[in-house]
Amino acid sequence: MTKLIEKLLSTSDLTDNELRILIETDDKEAAELLRIRADETRQLHYGKKVFLRGLIEVSSYCRNDCLYCGIRRSNREAERYRLTRDQIMLCAENGYELGFRTFVMQGGEDSSFTDDFMCDVISELRKRYPDCAITLSLGERSYESYKRMKEAGADRYLLRHEAADEELYRSLHPSEMSLAHRKQCLYDLRSLGYQVGAGFMVGAPGQTTDHLIADLRFLQDLKPQMIGIGPFVPHHCTPFAEEKGGTLELTLRLLGILRLMFPKVLLPATTALGTIAPNGRELGLQTGCNVVMPNLSPVNVRKKYELYDNKICTGEEAAECRTCLQRRIEAAGYEVAIERGDCIN
Ligand code: 5AD
Ligand code: FES
């Protein structure tokens, strides 16, 4: 196991069989060595810096029906909201004062968020905060739409590929969605000059080691600037309510592997990781992660953006979350960086 980790550290690649061994091992010493090597690699490129992204959850309306997601259109119990232009601006204002230099507008696939609306919001943010990065996470849209939003001033786009294996992708999504289209969106975004984030859930129902290897291979092909992974967490109003969630150990193993395979990538310690273990995000930071994405959404809508059960930080004001996170980041041995935090690649 030690040999495999040292090989991954020096060559950033392993054969499928070697990856399989590393993904499946429950050896404690291997986990600790992987953690140490991932942390060294992250510190070599990014020091102890942790970049903050202010997450604005702009809409819980979604025309999609992904089987794992709490805001899927078939969930009649989900409470729906969408923020107005003014509400989004207020979140950003609040966030800027709290030291955020990246705003992430994330939402369900809401047809009310037209290109005109989004471009207006993006160009206003661009004008007011020239020193900030604007990130979008609004799902699948047309090439034209991605193009217009880029021209309006957006810098980055997060769109997890979710599963690079055809069959697994189909089992997690409704029949009208396709992996080919998902990938097309990601390649379109890249060709338009966005900094791109892809990623997947760990421990999704039916996911095997082979599927995870396919995810890693797809990421090697796409070469995204950011990779978002977190454990699958069941939501009680979805077809996957009774499924098992992803584990802390496997998620950390994959984070460590990702840091060694993609030494300079931006890697968030996700809210889902913090949801399955009280110190999940701290452990993520110690295993190669260098980004956290605290919530800037108005407190009265937070519980409504419920992708999975027991999501953390839904009762706190943005300022409380910010203070709490700073404390946690410093206690874990790292420091908050007040900057855009672009990928150094
Ligand atoms: N558990 C964990 N992550 C989830 N997501 C959606 N539903 C869940 C869930 N039940 C993730 C998806 C999506 C991102 C916004 O949230 O990977 O891309
Ligand atoms: Fe949100 Fe602690 S990070 S309350």
Side-chain angles (χ1 to χ4, degrees):
M1 212 60 70
T2 307
K3 267 198 206 130
L4 289 183
I5 295 170
E6 302 300 352
K7 179 180 172 197
L8 187 55
L9 177 69
S10 59
T11 68
S12 295
D13 204 6
L14 294 177
T15 65
D16 284 4
N17 273 330
E18 290 171 330
L19 276 175
R20 186 187 325 281
I21 294 169
L22 210 50
I23 292 172
E24 289 182 351
T25 183
D26 55 8
D27 187 281
K28 293 262 180 324
E29 277 167 44
E32 181 57 10
L33 181 64
L34 184 59
R35 191 195 70 66
I36 290 169
R37 293 292 178 254
D39 190 41
E40 284 170 1
T41 304
R42 158 265 170 59
Q43 292 208 34
L44 177 67
H45 298 296
Y46 290 98
K48 294 192 178 289
K49 283 182 188 176
V50 176
F51 301 123
L52 300 184
R53 317 301 196 199
L55 185 65
I56 308 175
E57 294 158 336
V58 293
S59 174
S60 70
Y61 284 89
C62 192
R63 78 170 96 89
N64 253 336
D65 216 19
C66 307
L67 277 77
Y68 45 82
C69 182
I71 63 167
R72 66 201 299 266
R73 67 157 185 267
S74 297
N75 181 8
R76 295 282 133 75
E77 317 253 299
E79 286 185 65
R80 308 290 174 172
Y81 73 90
R82 66 173 64 90
L83 300 186
T84 62
R85 179 187 195 276
D86 287 352
Q87 284 177 305
I88 297 173
M89 289 304 155
L90 267 177
C91 291
E93 207 178 300
N94 191 7
Y96 191 86
E97 273 163 32
L98 292 170
F100 293 98
R101 294 297 177 266
T102 291
F103 302 118
V104 183
M105 289 187 275
Q106 181 175 88
E109 294 192 8
D110 181 350
S111 326
S112 296
F113 278 22
T114 60
D115 296 345
D116 285 343
F117 175 83
M118 282 315 302
C119 288
D120 174 52
V121 173
I122 294 163
S123 48
E124 184 63 25
L125 287 172
R126 186 36 67 247
K127 195 171 80 198
R128 286 197 204 177
Y129 307 105
D131 55 335
C132 292
I134 300 172
T135 305
L136 305 175
S137 181
L138 302 168
E140 297 183 11
R141 297 172 77 100
S142 68
Y143 181 87
E144 213 31 57
S145 170
Y146 290 150
K147 183 161 182 280
R148 284 191 57 194
M149 296 194 294
K150 183 77 181 57
E151 285 161 2
D155 305 284
R156 308 182 184 140
Y157 205 102
L158 308 179
L159 181 70
R160 290 188 177 177
H161 65 278
E162 311 293 1
D165 176 86
E166 282 282 356
E167 232 173 282
L168 180 64
Y169 188 93
R170 258 185 270 124
S171 73
L172 300 175
H173 297 97
S175 57
E176 66 270 19
M177 289 179 73
S178 81
L179 177 59
H181 188 253
R182 191 68 158 198
K183 288 185 176 175
Q184 189 57 52
C185 287
L186 284 162
Y187 288 112
D188 285 349
L189 288 161
R190 194 178 65 175
S191 76
L192 284 164
Y194 282 94
Q195 297 168 38
V196 171
F200 55 91
M201 291 180 297
V202 176
Q207 185 185 62
T208 63
T209 304
D210 281 334
H211 296 146
L212 290 168
I213 294 171
D215 288 320
L216 298 176
R217 297 301 180 211
F218 171 67
L219 292 169
Q220 283 181 313
D221 183 63
L222 180 69
K223 300 183 184 61
Q225 281 81 13
M226 298 157 275
I227 300 176
I229 70 162
F232 161 69
V233 185
H235 184 285
H236 63 285
C237 292
T238 64
F240 292 156
E242 304 302 325
E243 299 287 339
K244 276 213 275 305
T247 66
L248 175 68
E249 291 72 22
L250 180 58
T251 308
L252 290 174
R253 228 146 49 225
L254 282 156
L255 285 170
I257 292 171
L258 285 170
R259 174 54 72 205
L260 297 190
M261 287 179 80
F262 304 91
K264 296 181 180 171
V265 84
L266 293 161
L267 199 58
T270 56
T271 306
L273 187 57
T275 295
I276 62 163
N279 59 342
R281 285 172 300 179
E282 288 87 335
L283 291 171
L285 291 175
Q286 290 165 340
T287 316
C289 293
N290 60 341
V291 173
V292 240
M293 300 174 65
N295 206 312
L296 282 179
S297 310
V299 173
N300 67 316
V301 306
R302 286 206 192 177
K303 282 207 168 46
K304 302 179 189 169
Y305 198 80
E306 190 189 46
L307 306 182
Y308 47 81
D309 289 343
N310 306 316
K311 190 175 158 204
I312 53 168
C313 299
T314 56
E316 281 79 6
E317 288 287 351
E320 296 175 70
C321 240
R322 173 71 174 78
T323 317
C324 171
L325 256 186
Q326 172 128 12
R327 202 168 2 89
R328 285 165 175 265
I329 289 168
E330 288 171 1
Y334 303 92
E335 60 198 38
V336 171
I338 305 217
E339 52 182 284
R340 281 171 53 115
D342 288 295
C343 181
I344 54 175
N345 237 349

